[in-house]
Amino acid sequence: CVLYDSWLHLLHNMNDTEEKREMCKCEGLQFGVHFLSDTVCLLHKIEVSFARTMIFTVEEINRDPSLLPGLRLGYKVYNGCGTENLIRAAIEAINGNDPLACGGQTLVVLGHSSSGVSSDINTIISAVSVPQISHLSTCACLSDKARYPTFFRTVPSDKFQITALVQLMKYFDWRWVGIIHSVGTYAEEGASEFVKEAQKEGVCVEYTMVYLETSRSRLRTIIETLKESSSKVVLMFMPLSFAKTFLYHMEEYNITGKQWVGSESWISAKYLASAERKHILHGAIGYAIPQASIPGLGEFLLSLKPSDEPHGALIKNIWEEFFDCSFTPSNTSTLCTGAEDLRTVLSDYTDVAKFREENNVYTAVYSVAFALHLLMQCENGLNPTMGNPWSACVICKIVSLKVFDALKRINFTTKNGARVFFDENGDSIAKYDLVNWQMKEDGSADIFIIGQFDNSSPEGKKLKLKEYAKIVWGGYNNVVTMSVCREPCPPGTRKAVNKNKPVCCFDCFQCSEGTISNKTNSLDCSPCPPEVWPNEMRDNCVPKPTEYLSYTETTGTLLTGFGTFGVFLSLLITTIFFTHKETPIVRANNSELSFLLLFSLKLCFLCSLTFIGRPTQWSCMLRHTAFSITFVLCISCVLGKTIVVLMAFSARRPGSNMTKWFGPVQQRVSVLILTLVQVVICIIWLTINPPFPKRNMQYYKDRIILECALGSAIGFWAVLAYIGILATLCFVFAFLARKLPDSFNEAKLITFSMLIFCAVWITFIPAYFSSPGKFTVAVEIFAILASSFGLLFCIFAPKCYIILLRPEQNSKKRIMGKIKQTH
C-alpha cells in the first residue's frame, strides 16, 4: 500500500544547515510550508491533489511581494504509510529533529484530512502550543477547546453540517429517517450528533446501522433493515473510502424507493457514479463543501509529470494507474513514457472545472501567510496586533504561541472572494452547497447545485433553495419523497404522543364534539364560540343552522293546512247558519252568540298561523296576545250560551223571572267584559316584559332554535289561567244543564266540547315543557287547533247535520215537543 503523507509546518527550504544559519542572521529570510496528509490507497489521487494545491498556493504567495516581503515559503513532502507514521512525523517536527526547521521549532502544522488522525496529532502538538489547521477534518468534537486547544480548520465543522442536515429534513418534512454510518471518529460522532439534533427538531431515527467493510453479516443486516424499514429517507454518513466500498457492495442488491442523503465527504465525488449504482445515487441529495474558482490551479494540477518527482514512487504509481502502463518493461502492459497528457484522463484528480476541498487547502496556506503578515507588521519595534516589541531580524525566533495568537485574529479575503476568519472554537464560516445527483443512461452523473446553506444567515433563512432548481428525487419519484412514521394529523384532529413509540409515531384523534383544529398536527382542539359549530370535518367553525317552525317543512305545512281548513270550515258553517238563520234550531239558543262564537273560532284558527315562520319582535307579541284574547272571546261566547240554557229552563218554573236578568244585552256585556279582562292582562304583560325573539342554544349544540321567549312567565301563565278559569266555569254550568228536558239539549254538546277543551290544555302543559326546540311551538299550535276543532265540531256539527240532512227535525214543534211532553 503506497501512501502519500504530507504535513505542513514553517521551515527553511534549505539543503545546507550553514546556509540556514546565515539566513537567520537577517541577510534574507526564507520560510517553508510543510504539508503532510494521510492517504488510504483508494484515495491517494485526491490527496495528491491536496498536496499539489498546497505547492501551488505557496508559489502564489511567494510571487506576491506585498504579503510577506523579504520572506519566502518553502515545502517538504513526506512519504509514509498509516496513522503511526503520521504521528511519528508530528513528534519529529515539534521536537526539532528536522534539520530544515528554522530555529529548530515547528510553528504551524497543516492537516489532516482524517478527523481521527487530527485528533491524535493535536493531542501531541498542543502540549507545546503548536497550532494546527486542518482542511478536511470535520468532526464536531475538534471544536472542544479543552481537548484540542490549538486546532483550527478551514472546513466547516460537522456541527454545522448536522444542523444543515436536520434543517434539510425539516424543509422537506422528512420526519422518519434511517442512518447508515461507518466506523471512525468522523462517522460515529456525526451520526450520534445527528440523532441528538434531530430529536430536538422533531425528526425521528428509525434505525442506526454501522457498516463494516469486512463484515458480510453486518452488510446482510443492513440490507434486511433497508428492505423492511418504513422510512423512505436514508442518511449515509461515512468517509469517501467507506462510501465507495459500501456502494460497491450495494450494487448486487435491488434496494429501490429510497431517498439517499449523503454527507459532505462523498456527496460531491462524481467518480462514484456507475450504471449499477443508478438505483441508489439517482436523486441523492446532500451538502458539499462550496465550490470555488482558483485561477491557475487547474493548469497546475494537469501539468503534473513523473519527472517532477523523479525519486518518488507515488507519482509513478498514480501515473501507471491513470494510463494503464508501466515504467518497468513488462509483457503485460505498455511502457509509460511520462509524457502522457492528464487532460485525457477522467478522474477526481483531473476534474478541475471547480474546486471544493482544494479551496480549503488554499485557504489554510493563506491563513498561515496572513498570520505571519500580522506578526511582521512592526512599527518602531512594536507589533500593533500583538502589542509585543520585536525586530524583523529575529523572525526565526518567533514561537508557535505567537503564531497561534495571530491565527485567532486573522480576518482577510482570498483572491477568489472568500472571507476567512476563525471563531472562538477555531471554526471557519460554515457554508455548504446543496447538491442533487442526476444520473444519465450511461451511468455517469451530473451533480447540480440546488441550494445553499449559510449558517451566518438569520434563523429560518439559513437554507435557501434556488428558485428554478430542477430537483430529481430518489426512487424515481416525480414529487418530494414522503418519509414519516405517521401521516400528519389533518385539520379536524389532534396529535397525541404514544408513549410506547418514538415521538414521530404519534396518534391522531378526532376533535371532540364542539371543538376544531384548523392546522396540521395540532396539539389541541379549540372550542367554537356559542354562535358557531364545527363543520363535518371539524376543521372550521361555521355558523350554526337556525331552526324554527317554517311553512316549508312538513310539520309546518300540515299545521298550516289544518289551520286553513279550520278557517274554511268555520266560514262554511257560518254560511250555513246565515242562510238558515230564521230556522228554529239556529234561533233556539241566541243566534247572535252563535255567530260571534263562529267568528272567534275563525280567529283561533288564524292565530295559530302566527306561530309558524321566523320569529320577529312583532310576531312574538302578536302570537301570544292574539291567541289569549281570541280564546277568551271564544270561551266567553260558550259560557254565555251555557248560561242562556240554564236561564231558559229556570224561567219556565212558576214565579221565575230569570230571563230578564240575562237577556241579549246582558249577554253581549258579559262577553265584552270577560274579553276586556284578558285584554287588560295582555296590555300589562306587553308593557312590563313582552315576548321577544330569542336564539336558543341550550336545546341543541349543533344548531340554534329561533323561538319566542315569553318575556314575563307570569304574564303567560296568567292568560292561560284566565282561559282555564273560564273554561272550567263553562264546563261546570254545562254539566249542571246536561239533564234539562229538551229535544235538542245544547248543554250536553257544550259539556262534551268543554271536556275536550280542558283535556287538550291539561295535556298541553307537560307536552309544552318536554318538547324540544321548534316542537314546543308545534305542540302549542296543535293545542289551539285541537281545542278549536273540538268546539267547532261538538257545538255546530249536530246542528249542521239537522239543518242539512234532517230538515224535518228543524221545527219549533220538534224542538219544543219534548218540553211539552215533559210538562
Side-chain angles (χ1 to χ4, degrees):
C1 177
V2 179
L3 301 179
Y4 182 77
D5 297 341
S6 56
W7 258 104
L8 179 69
H9 66 272
L10 292 174
L11 69 153
H12 285 295
N13 189 19
M14 305 286 183
N15 293 323
D16 186 272
T17 307
E18 192 64 33
E19 181 184 0
K20 169 184 165 225
R21 294 194 189 97
E22 291 299 321
M23 300 299 291
C24 285
K25 293 180 181 178
C26 297
E27 296 175 2
L29 288 178
Q30 180 171 336
F31 271 76
V33 176
H34 191 181
F35 186 92
L36 182 146
S37 66
D38 182 27
T39 51
V40 181
C41 299
L42 294 172
L43 303 177
H44 58 272
K45 292 185 289 297
I46 190 64
E47 293 291 342
V48 170
S49 174
F50 295 161
R52 295 280 294 172
T53 301
M54 178 270 300
I55 296 171
F56 168 83
T57 310
V58 168
E59 293 180 356
E60 183 178 87
I61 292 171
N62 289 337
R63 288 194 300 269
D64 186 352
S66 62
L67 184 57
L68 296 176
L71 181 68
R72 289 178 58 81
L73 297 179
Y75 60 87
K76 183 176 182 180
V77 176
Y78 285 92
N79 284 334
C81 188
T83 303
E84 292 181 1
N85 283 350
L86 293 173
I87 295 175
R88 176 184 55 77
I91 296 173
E92 182 179 294
I94 65 174
N95 283 340
N97 295 330
D98 187 353
L100 299 181
C102 179
Q105 183 183 19
T106 298
L107 298 183
V108 180
V109 170
L110 297 191
H112 182 275
S113 298
S114 167
S115 295
V117 176
S118 289
S119 170
D120 294 336
I121 291 173
N122 195 260
T123 301
I124 298 171
I125 66 176
S126 63
V128 290
S129 300
V130 174
Q132 174 187 1
I133 306 176
S134 173
H135 58 283
L136 210 57
S137 297
T138 60
C139 178
C141 59
L142 294 169
S143 297
D144 185 355
K145 290 293 126 180
R147 296 173 58 190
Y148 312 105
T150 63
F151 182 81
F152 299 87
R153 53 183 154 197
T154 54
V155 63
S157 165
D158 279 340
K159 171 187 175 182
F160 303 112
Q161 182 184 188
I162 296 305
T163 301
L165 286 171
V166 172
Q167 292 300 316
L168 178 68
M169 302 297 177
K170 286 182 60 181
Y171 187 91
F172 292 117
D173 202 27
W174 294 333
R175 303 284 176 168
W176 189 234
V177 302
I179 302 177
I180 300 175
H181 67 88
S182 61
V183 294
T185 304
Y186 167 76
E188 291 174 353
E189 292 281 347
S192 176
E193 288 300 317
F194 178 84
V195 173
K196 295 177 183 177
E197 292 299 319
Q199 289 177 346
K200 295 177 183 178
E201 298 294 339
V203 178
C204 298
V205 177
E206 183 183 9
Y207 58 85
T208 301
M209 306 296 294
V210 180
Y211 168 67
L212 298 176
E213 291 179 300
T214 57
S215 176
R216 296 295 296 180
S217 61
R218 184 64 63 90
L219 179 63
R220 285 193 297 269
T221 303
I222 293 175
I223 298 302
E224 291 301 319
T225 302
L226 287 172
K227 290 180 178 179
E228 297 173 2
S229 65
S230 59
S231 58
K232 301 298 182 183
V233 175
V234 183
L235 174 61
M236 191 172 130
F237 207 106
M238 55 184 69
L240 182 59
S241 59
F242 284 92
K244 186 171 184 179
T245 59
F246 177 76
L247 292 173
Y248 171 77
H249 289 131
M250 289 291 291
E251 292 177 1
E252 56 186 285
Y253 300 99
N254 186 26
I255 304 297
T256 58
K258 300 292 185 180
Q259 174 66 56
W260 292 83
V261 179
S263 58
E264 52 78 26
S265 59
W266 67 268
I267 196 64
S268 60
K270 289 178 64 174
Y271 74 90
L272 293 177
S274 68
E276 293 78 12
R277 301 170 185 175
K278 188 175 181 181
H279 63 287
I280 298 176
L281 293 177
H282 185 67
I285 287 179
Y287 289 106
I289 295 171
Q291 67 179 17
S293 175
I294 305 177
L297 178 59
E299 285 297 322
F300 182 81
L301 293 177
L302 295 176
S303 66
L304 176 66
K305 299 293 182 181
S307 58
D308 296 341
E309 297 285 343
H311 303 294
L314 180 62
I315 302 300
K316 291 182 179 180
N317 291 335
I318 294 175
W319 205 264
E320 290 175 346
E321 183 178 339
F322 274 157
F323 298 102
D324 193 22
C325 61
S326 175
F327 284 96
T328 303
S330 172
N331 296 327
T332 58
S333 60
T334 59
L335 184 66
C336 294
T337 64
E340 291 84 358
D341 190 357
L342 285 175
R343 292 174 178 81
T344 62
V345 177
L346 294 177
S347 76
D348 51 328
Y349 179 87
T350 59
D351 184 7
V352 295
K354 294 290 183 180
F355 301 101
R356 296 186 185 275
E357 294 85 353
E358 291 84 356
N359 187 53
N360 293 339
V361 177
Y362 184 79
T363 304
V365 178
Y366 262 100
S367 298
V368 176
F370 272 91
L372 286 174
H373 181 75
L374 285 178
L375 295 176
M376 292 177 63
Q377 289 179 355
C378 304
E379 296 180 5
N380 299 323
L382 180 68
N383 180 276
T385 303
M386 307 300 294
N388 296 321
W390 57 58
S391 170
C393 294
V394 292
I395 194 69
C396 274
K397 297 182 180 179
I398 293 175
V399 294
S400 57
L401 181 60
K402 300 296 183 181
V403 180
F404 171 59
D405 290 336
L407 282 172
K408 292 191 291 185
R409 291 168 173 79
I410 62 170
N411 192 333
F412 66 95
T413 302
T414 62
K415 292 183 178 180
N416 56 24
R419 186 186 174 198
V420 181
F421 67 91
F422 299 109
D423 63 15
E424 65 275 8
N425 295 320
D427 294 323
S428 57
I429 298 175
K431 290 184 179 181
Y432 294 99
D433 287 339
L434 182 61
V435 298
N436 179 225
W437 283 59
Q438 300 183 16
M439 301 291 291
K440 301 178 182 178
E441 291 297 328
D442 60 358
S444 62
D446 287 328
I447 301 178
F448 291 97
I449 298 175
I450 59 173
Q452 283 82 30
F453 179 87
D454 187 351
N455 193 66
S456 62
S457 299
E459 286 295 332
K461 298 182 179 180
K462 297 180 183 295
L463 174 59
K464 294 180 181 179
L465 264 66
K466 290 186 176 180
E467 187 174 356
Y468 299 105
K470 180 183 177 182
I471 304 177
V472 174
W473 303 104
Y476 296 93
N477 292 321
N478 296 324
V479 294
V480 181
T481 304
M482 288 293 295
S483 185
V484 291
C485 178
R486 172 68 184 263
E487 292 292 330
C489 292
T493 63
R494 63 179 179 86
K495 184 169 76 171
V497 176
N498 189 326
K499 295 182 179 179
N500 298 322
K501 296 180 180 179
V503 66
C504 298
C505 301
F506 46 81
D507 294 323
C508 298
F509 296 103
Q510 188 179 34
C511 289
S512 59
E513 188 179 60
T515 61
I516 65 157
S517 65
N518 53 12
K519 296 180 180 179
T520 302
N521 284 335
S522 178
L523 296 177
D524 295 300
C525 297
S526 305
C528 288
E531 296 80 10
V532 292
W533 188 253
N535 58 4
E536 185 177 352
M537 300 300 296
R538 298 189 181 181
D539 58 359
N540 189 26
C541 290
V542 296
K544 288 182 179 179
T546 54
E547 187 177 88
Y548 55 88
L549 189 60
S550 67
Y551 293 100
T552 56
E553 61 180 290
T554 304
T555 305
T557 302
L558 289 174
L559 293 175
T560 302
F562 281 115
T564 306
F565 177 70
V567 174
F568 170 76
L569 203 57
S570 299
L571 286 171
L572 181 62
I573 293 174
T574 301
T575 304
I576 293 172
F577 267 54
F578 185 77
T579 55
H580 298 83
K581 62 181 177 180
E582 300 300 331
T583 59
I585 199 167
V586 176
R587 299 181 60 188
N589 193 346
N590 196 336
S591 59
E592 187 176 333
L593 285 179
S594 296
F595 283 110
L596 187 57
L597 176 59
L598 285 169
F599 173 73
S600 64
L601 285 173
K602 293 186 191 72
L603 294 179
C604 288
F605 285 121
L606 288 173
C607 81
S608 68
L609 301 180
T610 63
F611 286 81
I612 303 174
R614 188 182 186 91
T616 63
Q617 187 71 36
W618 288 103
S619 67
C620 287
M621 293 190 293
L622 177 63
R623 64 173 59 172
H624 287 97
T625 54
F627 150 71
S628 59
I629 293 173
T630 55
F631 257 74
V632 166
L633 177 60
C634 181
I635 299 301
S636 298
C637 292
V638 175
L639 182 59
K641 292 173 70 65
T642 306
I643 295 175
V644 168
V645 172
L646 285 173
M647 293 298 180
F649 282 96
S650 297
R652 283 176 165 75
R653 294 173 184 171
S656 176
N657 58 353
M658 294 292 292
T659 53
K660 69 177 182 179
W661 296 105
F662 202 74
V665 176
Q666 288 80 7
Q667 294 171 21
R668 297 190 196 100
V669 172
S670 65
V671 171
L672 179 61
I673 293 173
L674 292 174
T675 305
L676 284 176
V677 172
Q678 186 74 310
V679 171
V680 171
I681 296 174
C682 289
I683 291 174
I684 296 173
W685 181 14
L686 295 177
T687 302
I688 297 174
N689 192 3
F692 59 90
K694 176 186 176 183
R695 296 164 63 88
N696 193 326
M697 305 176 195
Q698 305 301 319
Y699 284 131
Y700 303 103
K701 295 179 179 179
D702 59 342
R703 56 187 184 270
I704 299 174
I705 303 299
L706 292 182
E707 61 183 14
C708 287
L710 297 177
S712 173
I714 297 176
F716 175 72
W717 291 110
V719 297
L720 286 185
Y722 184 66
I723 295 173
I725 292 171
L726 294 181
T728 303
L729 288 175
C730 188
F731 175 74
V732 171
F733 289 157
F735 183 77
L736 294 174
R738 73 190 188 283
K739 293 184 179 181
L740 294 176
D742 192 354
S743 296
F744 191 80
N745 191 348
E746 194 171 28
K748 293 180 181 179
L749 302 178
I750 294 173
T751 302
F752 192 64
S753 66
M754 286 296 102
L755 186 63
I756 295 175
F757 184 90
C758 293
V760 168
W761 285 101
I762 288 172
T763 56
F764 160 78
I765 295 173
Y768 180 83
F769 285 106
S770 61
S771 299
K774 63 183 180 180
F775 296 107
T776 303
V777 180
V779 167
E780 195 167 356
I781 296 173
F782 177 79
I784 294 172
L785 293 177
S787 56
S788 299
F789 276 113
L791 290 173
L792 186 65
F793 282 109
C794 291
I795 295 177
F796 294 101
K799 294 180 181 182
C800 290
Y801 175 77
I802 292 174
I803 292 171
L804 298 175
L805 302 178
R806 292 290 188 268
E808 70 277 3
Q809 296 182 8
N810 190 6
S811 63
K812 186 176 181 181
K813 180 180 179 180
R814 180 66 179 172
I815 293 174
M816 299 299 294
K818 190 171 182 180
I819 300 176
K820 292 180 179 180
Q821 293 173 6
T822 304
H823 289 281

